[in-house]
Structure formats: C-alpha cells, structure tokens
C-alpha cells in the first residue's frame, strides 16, 4: 500500500491496430489500463493515476494524476489510433507531469505500454533511464505487440538502468489466447512491490490463478490490523449464525419428518383401495382444482403482502407444478434455487423447512412400495407441503385422509 | 576557535543536528547502500566506514527540514580527496526541489570546497542570508576529481536557534 503517483503511457500508434490480441492490441491495452487504475486506487485511496498517449499527433496528456477513477475511464473513450510511438518524449512528459503532482509525498512511477518497435538506440534509452533514476522515478514496461530483434534487449537495459531496489519491472506478454489484462494481473506491476500489495490485486490474482493469496482475507494483518480484525470477526459471526440456522432447520426437519410419515401412511390407505384408479382420477381432478384454487388464493394473499414474497410464491408455485410433472430431482433443484432467491430470513427458514420436508417425504415415498411418486395426489401433497402457511398444509393433509376414508 | 583537524564548535554556535526533522529528510540520487544518514546522523557520521554516495551521476540534492526556525552560521563537509564535493550550493526554505530547478533561482550561498574544508575546516556562510531558515537544500554539483561518483563523509551544520529570543 505504497503512496504512489502513477503516469500510464499508452501506445496508440498504427501498430496497435493489429488483432493478435483480442479484440485488438489497442483494446486489450485499454482494458489493462482500466484494471491497473482500479488496482492502484484500491490499494491506497490517496494514490493518483494519470494517462497520456505517446503516438498520434504527438504526446498528449489525457488526464493529470488524479484519484478519480471515473475521469480516467472516461478519457479512455474515443482515443484514435495513428502515428508513431515517441517513447523518449512520452517518458519525459510523464516525468514532468509527475513532478507537478499535488502531493509531493507520493512516490513517482511510470508505466509504459510498448506495442510498436523501438527505434531509439541504447544510449538514448540509457540517458533517459539515468534521469529517471536520479529523480527517483520507478518505471514499469509492458512489452507486447511487435517483437523485432533488439526490442527486448533495449527495454531490458532501460529497466536495469532505472531499477533501484527492484522497484522497476518489465513484463513481456506474447500474443495468444490469454487477455493482456489477465497476464498482467499476476505480475508485480499489478500486485505492487514488497508486501504483496493490495487486497484487490490479491483477490483478482487469486480468482484468475485459483491460488491462495497468502493472507486470510487478502489483507495483511501487519499493514492493516483493524481491517483484518474486522473481517475475521464478521466471518466468525456469519459462521455462528449459519450454525444456529442449520441447527434450527435440523430440529424442524425432525418435526416435519413425523408429519410427513403421517401423510404418507394416509396415502397408503388411499392406494390400497380397490377402485383406486377411478377414485384417484376423480381425486386427481378435485385435487387439481383445489390445488389451483389454493394456489391462486395463496398468490392473492401473498401479493397483498410484500412483493418479494409474492414473486417467490408465484415462482415457487409454477416451479412446483412443472417440476413435479417431470422429475423429483428437478423439483429439488428448483427449490434450492428458489431458496437462494429468498432474502427474508423467515421465509428462508420456512423454505428450508419445506425443503427438508420434501426431501424427506419424497425419499420416504420412494421407499414405500406401491406409491408412484408421479401420481397426481402425491404431486398435490408435495405442492401443498411447499406452500407458505401451515393451516393450508394441514387442510390438504386432511383432504387425502377424508378421501381415503371415502 | 577553528582548528583544521578536529571539528571544534565555533564560538556561540550549536550543532544543529538536534533540530533536524528526520521524517522529512530527503536525498535525491543517493545510492541505496550509502545513504544520507551515514553523513548526517550522529554516530554514523563519525564512522569512517560509512559515507554518503551518489548513484546515477555525481550530483546530489539533499533536503533537510528543521523542527524550528534556525540561523545558520557555518557548515563542515568532510569527504575523500578525490570524490569529495567541490561546488556546493545552498538554498533556504525551498521545498521539494528537483535537479531541473536548481538553476531556476539563485542560491542563498554557493561555496567551493578546498581540500582543507574536506578535512574538516568549517566554511563560514553569508550569515545574513541564513537568518530565518526552516529548511535547507544542499546541492552538490560536482566533486574534486570530476568523477562519476561523489562521496561525502560527514555534514555538520552550525548555527543558533531563535528560541532564546522568542519567549
């Protein structure tokens, strides 16, 4: 989290029209610039970043070092490609822009994107490098695009002249399927020097590479102990809350299991009836009607309450009727996704209860002989179990019992 | 009471190292292994093995802020014969100077060090120009032998503070 003022020098010469980096060299460069700006401002809110273009009609400063990310991103729009790269002038103007930074306590850094061939000789580059070093400016070079013989060596010498305590880096990005920004994310340009850099860069690198960031929450306890402590405390609180919720769900599941067994035993009685086919057809229609009615009633009730609940109920209903028509597992999966959408904690627990019900009930039903899970009355029972209110549940459970008694 | 060898304190003056604001001390173009503290800090500066060395070329720009306003009377700059500084320019109260603007305004004083000075003989400054000094910038332009690297063994500043007068 070094306090830094950075000037990014963009190559907008004709060489960047090439499409060997998707979508084009220039676009890939622009994305990388956006990412770098984000990383710098995140790692330290007082960091400032500026941008200038090196080709075109001449070196032009688009934005002087600022911590306003929006300004930087907006100036990246509408840039024209053309002209030839003027590396020496670009670096000198960048140095001047950094000299007039508002906060003199910031370290100075220049990041250069070099996509075209370098036409300067080593001596000129060395002179520039020495000037940068004398004014304690660090330099990062992103070597992409054209690779003629001599370019890597020239840039290497430039870096070695400027380099002071490993603060300057050069990165060579060959053309290929990986985006320029992805490759850069794992380099020291992004992650900063020394202490492993910011949480942003560490998280991004971890996401890209799938590796460990090294610290618990991407925050070094040495650099920012308060933030690390706050993150740790909130994680533990979340864990405790989830454990409590899980315990509650388990209790409810145990309760529902008993009720589920009752319902399935009543179904047994229904199935065992001799003229079950015709009766069940009749039951089927009646159940369907009542189920539809109850579903509509539910929806109306829910809509009169707050919106998220109603949408969930409607979604849940449609999901259930479709799902049970096809596949139990699909229903289960749909329930899970619906459960995820529910934000209200009460509905969350209710849904988890219903979920526990359904999985238990369906598993029990599947294990029972003579019970066809795709049977209409079973479908209805499951649909009703999934409903929000308990009286509804009991009502539906009573109905099969009544039908069974008939 | 100036002596050629030892750094005896001029009459009435104080060694100003106690009034240096170390948090703001900066030195441009110093080599990382041989930094300014080797020449300025008490204890380090008397160690013959430790010295301040320049990096990319022979110039050095040293910025020293003080914790209070002082009057600067004289300086002692010790260094090796060949690589010790020759032309030294002093600027007062100019913050964050760079090598590019050393020539933008006239220095408060410009001294040419002789080999005697490099052995420890104090250089008396134009006292009138250093009456109200909050910060001092020392620009070492070149060295005795015209080498690529300048070396400084010891920098001592002598002067007085305003404290007795500001009650």
């Amino acid at each position: 989290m070094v306090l830094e003022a950075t000037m990014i020098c963009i190559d907008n010469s004709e060489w960047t029209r090439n499409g060997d980096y998707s979508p084009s060299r220039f676009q890939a460069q622009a994305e990388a610039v956006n990412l770098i700006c984000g990383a710098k401002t995140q790692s330290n809110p007082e960091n400032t970043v500026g941008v200038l273009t090196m080709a075109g009609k001449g070196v032009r400063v688009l934005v002087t070092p600022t911590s306003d990310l929006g300004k930087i991103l907006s100036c990246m729009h509408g840039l024209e490609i053309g002209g030839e790269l003027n590396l020496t002038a670009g670096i000198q103007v960048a140095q001047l822009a950094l000299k007039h930074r508002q906060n003199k306590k910031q370290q100075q850094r220049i990041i250069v994107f070099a996509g075209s061939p370098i036409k300067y000789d080593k001596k000129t580059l060395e002179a520039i490098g020495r000037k940068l070093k004398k004014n304690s400016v660090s330099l990062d070079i992103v070597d992409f695009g054209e690779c003629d013989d001599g370019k890597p060596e020239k840039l290497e010498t430039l870096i070695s002249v400027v380099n002071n305590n490993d603060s300057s880096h050069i990165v060579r990005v060959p053309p290929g399927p990986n985006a320029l920004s992805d490759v850069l994310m794992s380099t020291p340009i992004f992650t900063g020097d020394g202490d492993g850099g910011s949480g942003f860069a560490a998280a991004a690198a971890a996401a890209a590479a799938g590796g460990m960031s090294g610290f618990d929450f991407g925050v070094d306890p040495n650099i920012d102990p308060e933030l690390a402590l706050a993150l740790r405390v909130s994680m533990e609180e979340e864990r405790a809350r989830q454990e409590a919720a899980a315990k509650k769900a388990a209790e409810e599941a145990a309760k529902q299991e008993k009720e589920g067994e009752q319902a399935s035993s009543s179904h047994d009685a229904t199935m065992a009836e001799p003229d079950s086919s015709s009766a069940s057809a009749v039951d089927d229609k009646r159940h369907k009607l009542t189920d539809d009615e109850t579903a509509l009633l539910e929806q109306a009730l829910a809509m009169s309450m707050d919106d998220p609940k109603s949408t969930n109920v409607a979604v849940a209903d449609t999901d259930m009727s479709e799902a049970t028509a096809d596949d139990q597992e699909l229903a289960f999966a749909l329930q899970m996704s619906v459960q995820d959408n529910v934000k209200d904690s009460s509905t969350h627990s209710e849904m988890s209860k219903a979920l526990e019900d359904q999985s238990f009930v369906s598993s029990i039903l599947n294990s029972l002989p003579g019970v066809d899970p795709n049977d209409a009355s079973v479908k209805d029972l499951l649909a009703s179990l999934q409903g929000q209110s308990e009286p509804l549940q009991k009502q539906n459970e009573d109905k099969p019992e009544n039908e069974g008694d008939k | 009471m100036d002596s050629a060898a030892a750094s005896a304190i001029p009459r009435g003056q104080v060694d100003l190292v106690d009034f240096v604001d170390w948090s703001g001390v900066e030195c441009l173009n110093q080599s990382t292994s041989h930094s300014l503290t080797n020449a300025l800090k008490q204890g380090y500066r008397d160690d013959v093995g430790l010295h301040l060395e320049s990096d990319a070329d022979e110039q050095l720009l040293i910025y020293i802020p003080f914790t209070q306003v002082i009057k600067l009377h004289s300086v002692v700059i010790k260094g090796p014969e060949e690589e010790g500084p020759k032309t030294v320019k002093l600027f007062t109260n100019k913050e964050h100077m760079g090598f590019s603007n050393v020539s933008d305004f006239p220095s408060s004083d410009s001294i040419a060090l002789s080999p005697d000075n490099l052995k420890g003989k104090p250089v008396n400054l134009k006292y009138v120009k250093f009456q109200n000094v909050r910060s001092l910038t020392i620009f070492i332009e070149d060295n005795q032998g015209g080498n690529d690297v300048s070396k400084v063994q010891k920098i001592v500043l002598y002067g007085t503070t305003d404290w007795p007068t500001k009650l």
Side-chain angles (χ1 to χ4, degrees), chain A residues 28-143:
Chain A
Q29 203 187 181
E31 276 175 30
V33 170
N34 291 341
L35 269 170
I36 292 179
C37 295
K40 292 284 177 201
T41 37
Q42 271 232 355
S43 78
N44 188 328
E46 285 193 25
N47 279 352
T48 56
V49 182
V51 179
L52 61 81
T53 53
M54 292 193 284
K57 293 217 176 80
V59 176
R60 191 162 69 100
V61 177
L62 298 172
V63 56
T64 56
T66 170
S67 51
D68 184 2
L69 198 58
K71 221 169 158 187
I72 299 166
L73 295 179
S74 67
C75 83
M76 294 290 299
H77 285 293
L79 284 178
E80 291 177 0
I81 298 181
E84 266 210 16
L85 181 69
N86 192 346
L87 188 62
T88 45
I91 293 182
Q92 281 168 339
V93 172
Q95 208 180 333
L96 198 65
L98 284 173
K99 197 172 130 194
H100 293 288
R101 66 195 185 286
Q102 290 194 314
N103 183 357
K104 300 286 182 188
K105 284 210 182 335
Q106 289 167 328
Q107 303 269 352
Q108 303 173 69
R109 179 175 288 275
I110 299 179
I111 303 181
V112 174
F113 282 85
S116 4
I118 308 284
K119 59 179 188 275
Y120 306 98
D121 57 343
K122 275 192 186 173
K123 273 232 168 79
T124 339
L125 295 176
E126 271 177 26
I128 294 177
R130 237 174 276 129
K131 240 184 129 188
L132 288 175
K133 189 173 185 193
K134 203 168 154 187
N135 289 297
S136 70
V137 179
S138 326
L139 180 67
D140 289 331
I141 301 184
V142 179
D143 179 7

Side-chain angles (χ1 to χ4, degrees), chain A residues 219-232:
Chain A
V219 176
D220 185 357
N222 293 329
I223 292 178
D224 203 343
E226 288 153 356
L227 182 58
L229 185 64
L231 285 168
R232 202 179 308 130

Side-chain angles (χ1 to χ4, degrees), chain A residues 20 51 60 73 75 81 92 103 120 129 136 141 145 154-155 162 212 234 244 246 271-272 295 306 326 360 374 384:
Chain A
D20 51 1
V51 179
R60 191 162 69 100
L73 295 179
C75 83
I81 298 181
Q92 281 168 339
N103 183 357
Y120 306 98
S136 70
I141 301 184
K154 284 181 189 172
L155 296 175
V162 183
M212 289 287 289
S234 64
M271 293 311 123
D306 33 14
D326 298 332
F360 270 105
N374 288 328
S384 64

Side-chain angles (χ1 to χ4, degrees), chain A residues 132-284:
Chain A
L132 288 175
K133 189 173 185 193
K134 203 168 154 187
N135 289 297
S136 70
V137 179
S138 326
L139 180 67
D140 289 331
I141 301 184
V142 179
D143 179 7
F144 69 109
E146 290 299 313
C147 179
D148 58 356
D149 24 53
K151 186 183 178 193
E153 288 93 49
K154 284 181 189 172
L155 296 175
E156 284 279 355
T157 42
L158 180 55
I159 287 286
S160 59
V161 173
V162 183
N163 199 359
N164 192 2
N165 258 0
D166 230 1
S167 65
S168 303
H169 316 94
I170 178 168
V171 177
R172 164 84 201 139
V173 185
N178 304 331
L180 189 63
S181 21
D182 290 338
V183 177
L184 280 179
M185 262 202 279
S186 51
T187 61
I189 292 181
F190 218 97
T191 56
D193 322 309
D195 315 319
S198 64
F200 178 92
M212 289 287 289
S213 71
F215 302 118
D216 281 338
F217 309 106
V219 176
D220 185 357
N222 293 329
I223 292 178
D224 203 343
E226 288 153 356
L227 182 58
L229 185 64
L231 285 168
R232 202 179 308 130
V233 166
S234 64
M235 275 294 285
E236 283 174 11
E237 276 181 28
E238 177 69 29
R239 222 175 287 141
R241 197 166 62 78
Q242 280 183 356
E243 276 173 36
K247 230 186 281 174
K248 199 175 162 204
E251 282 174 13
E252 295 294 336
K255 241 199 293 175
Q256 294 298 333
E257 193 186 5
K258 290 182 202 151
E259 286 185 42
E261 279 178 342
Q262 266 185 2
S264 55
S265 59
S266 67
H267 265 286
D268 245 1
T270 322
M271 293 311 123
E273 290 249 326
D275 45 337
S276 58
S277 50
S278 53
S280 63
V282 174
D283 296 11
D284 183 5

